[in-house]
Amino acid sequence: MLKIGEFSKLAQISVKTLRYYGELKLLKPAWIDRFTGYRYYTLDQLPRLNRIVALKDLGFSLDQIRQLLKDDLPLAELRGMLKLKYGELERQVEEEQARLARVTTRLQQIEQEGRVPRYEVVLKQVPPQRVAGIRRVVTRPQEIQQALDELCAGLKIAALGADGDCPATVLYYDTEYRDRGIDVEAAVPCTAAPDGASQVPVHTLPGVAEMACTVHVGSIETLPQAYQAVLTWIEANGYRVAGPNRDLYLRRPGPHDPVAQTITEVQFPVQKKIYKFLTQEGKTMEPKIIEKPAFTVVGLKYHGKNQHDEIGQLWQQLMPRAAEIKHRVEFNAAYGVCSAIKEEDGAFDYIAGYAVSEATDLPEGIGSQAIPAQTYAVFPCTLHTIKETYTYAFETWLPQSGREWAKGPDFEYYDESFDPGVEDPEMYIYVPVK
């Protein structure tokens, strides 16, 4: 028997901590003298104490450690708790790396400009919003203001009511430079749904999980300065633009307000970039594990075995019809969703299309498919290495990963940087796992 002080020195754990572990029933004394209250421990208790210290070092809470110390704890539950902790620590590392990148970007800005940056960029979550909207091609900023004035007047006539607590929004749909005109939508939040006789076009702007935002004070003509600041931040912090950018007119120029006092919030929908995973000698290619919420794809469907490159032909047929698909939520990104191969004939279902906020107003010959929320292993590849990447994912990585195939639809993801005109363009394969 060792007194608590002796056991404390041997284990290099404070007496206070040993008493606390005793109160929590993590490590009870082997014996307590009922006359003096002295606590005694045995050498046989050192392995249990070392396990507590080791699990605490892994980041487990004391409540979690109590669960892990159970003698009858199933091995599967232990493995599951360790995997959860692994994922939690991995996310923490990613968050700290992202924070480090933002600090580095800020230092570089100060060094280059010699002053505190004019624009502060923050990430926000933007909820869906019902709006009245007019979409048109404009050649002058004044035409946007005219469209907003038209909307406000139309809302008043239709008794829909403009939502005074929410600013007017302008969305920019062009994916590249245009010589003449800009494809924009002027939108005003409204408080009521239109009736059947209303001529005001009302729809729901999709929500955005991550929106890179900054505030610009000054004339609309100087907004490109704010755009440049946000785009620089996006690139420096490992994000990519994932949808039409928006301007929120927090304070619109009025008839008696100086233009210089206009306040605009510049917003760009963003997604974190999925970086290449390099295969090095002695190391296997590690995919990124992500959680993706449920979404819906609308496009052209195919059923068969792809014996004569029918899927390639399907994409060729889709491209001219892309503009027919409404309610798209991603910026020039496409999905190729594949169901499991049927054992009886080797055929499978495939849809080539785009993610949408709602699968309504479908043109003739266009179908939809809902994809449930799922955990995915994401593998980068190219058009020429799709087959090899799928083989590696299912035959090499999956058996060694400790994970299982979730038997849901897998899909190809082509982000806005995908260019079929370049040699071996990069894409991604999403494999559902659990």
Side-chain angles (χ1 to χ4, degrees), residues 172-178 183 243-244 328 330-332 416:
Y172 297 86
Y173 289 99
D174 288 324
T175 60
E176 58 187 35
Y177 174 75
R178 293 174 60 139
D183 184 7
R328 287 165 61 174
E330 289 192 73
F331 194 47
N332 220 26
E416 82 288 340

Side-chain angles (χ1 to χ4, degrees), residues 136-153:
R136 60 179 55 157
V137 175
V138 302
T139 57
R140 297 177 299 125
Q142 291 82 349
E143 295 177 52
I144 297 175
Q145 299 298 326
Q146 293 169 6
L148 290 172
D149 292 338
E150 289 178 30
L151 279 173
C152 291

Side-chain angles (χ1 to χ4, degrees), residues 48-238:
R48 182 180 177 89
L49 178 58
N50 286 344
R51 179 169 294 178
I52 294 172
V53 173
L55 291 173
K56 194 166 180 284
D57 181 64
L58 292 178
F60 287 103
S61 68
L62 293 179
D63 286 339
Q64 291 172 323
I65 291 173
R66 184 188 294 108
Q67 180 72 14
L68 290 166
L69 289 175
K70 289 182 178 179
D71 293 333
D72 59 348
L73 181 70
L75 185 60
E77 187 173 343
L78 172 60
R79 186 184 295 113
M81 292 184 72
L82 287 169
K83 284 184 176 180
L84 287 173
K85 176 55 64 176
Y86 180 91
E88 177 186 328
L89 294 173
E90 188 176 44
R91 285 191 295 273
Q92 291 176 4
V93 169
E94 289 178 355
E95 290 171 0
E96 292 304 314
Q97 287 176 335
R99 184 172 289 110
L100 180 61
R102 292 195 293 272
V103 171
T104 302
T105 301
R106 175 60 63 87
L107 286 171
Q108 290 173 346
Q109 283 181 298
I110 293 174
E111 291 295 330
Q112 292 171 3
E113 300 176 12
R115 60 179 175 83
V116 176
R118 177 182 175 184
Y119 295 101
E120 300 292 347
V121 180
V122 297
L123 288 176
K124 294 182 179 181
Q125 182 177 7
V126 176
Q129 187 177 53
R130 182 167 56 201
V131 299
I134 295 177
R135 184 169 175 176
R136 60 179 55 157
V137 175
V138 302
T139 57
R140 297 177 299 125
Q142 291 82 349
E143 295 177 52
I144 297 175
Q145 299 298 326
Q146 293 169 6
L148 290 172
D149 292 338
E150 289 178 30
L151 279 173
C152 291
L155 287 172
K156 187 175 181 179
I157 294 172
L160 295 179
D163 189 344
D165 295 329
C166 299
T169 304
V170 177
L171 295 89
Y172 297 86
Y173 289 99
D174 288 324
T175 60
E176 58 187 35
Y177 174 75
R178 293 174 60 139
D179 293 333
R180 183 177 179 82
I182 306 172
D183 184 7
V184 304
E185 178 183 2
V188 175
C190 55
T191 56
D195 57 29
S198 173
Q199 299 299 312
V200 179
V202 174
H203 68 101
T204 299
L205 284 182
V208 177
E210 289 187 299
M211 188 83 86
C213 308
T214 196
V215 174
H216 173 76
V217 179
S219 68
I220 296 175
E221 285 75 11
T222 58
L223 270 175
Q225 299 172 14
Y227 297 158
Q228 184 59 46
V230 178
L231 291 171
T232 299
W233 184 95
I234 290 171
E235 180 62 29
N237 287 276

Side-chain angles (χ1 to χ4, degrees), residues 369-396:
Q369 181 171 347
I371 315 298
Q374 181 65 58
T375 302
Y376 293 94
V378 184
F379 296 85
C381 68
T382 66
L383 281 177
H384 295 97
T385 59
I386 291 179
K387 181 178 179 180
E388 291 81 355
T389 304
Y390 267 112
T391 300
Y392 172 82
F394 281 91
E395 296 185 5
T396 301

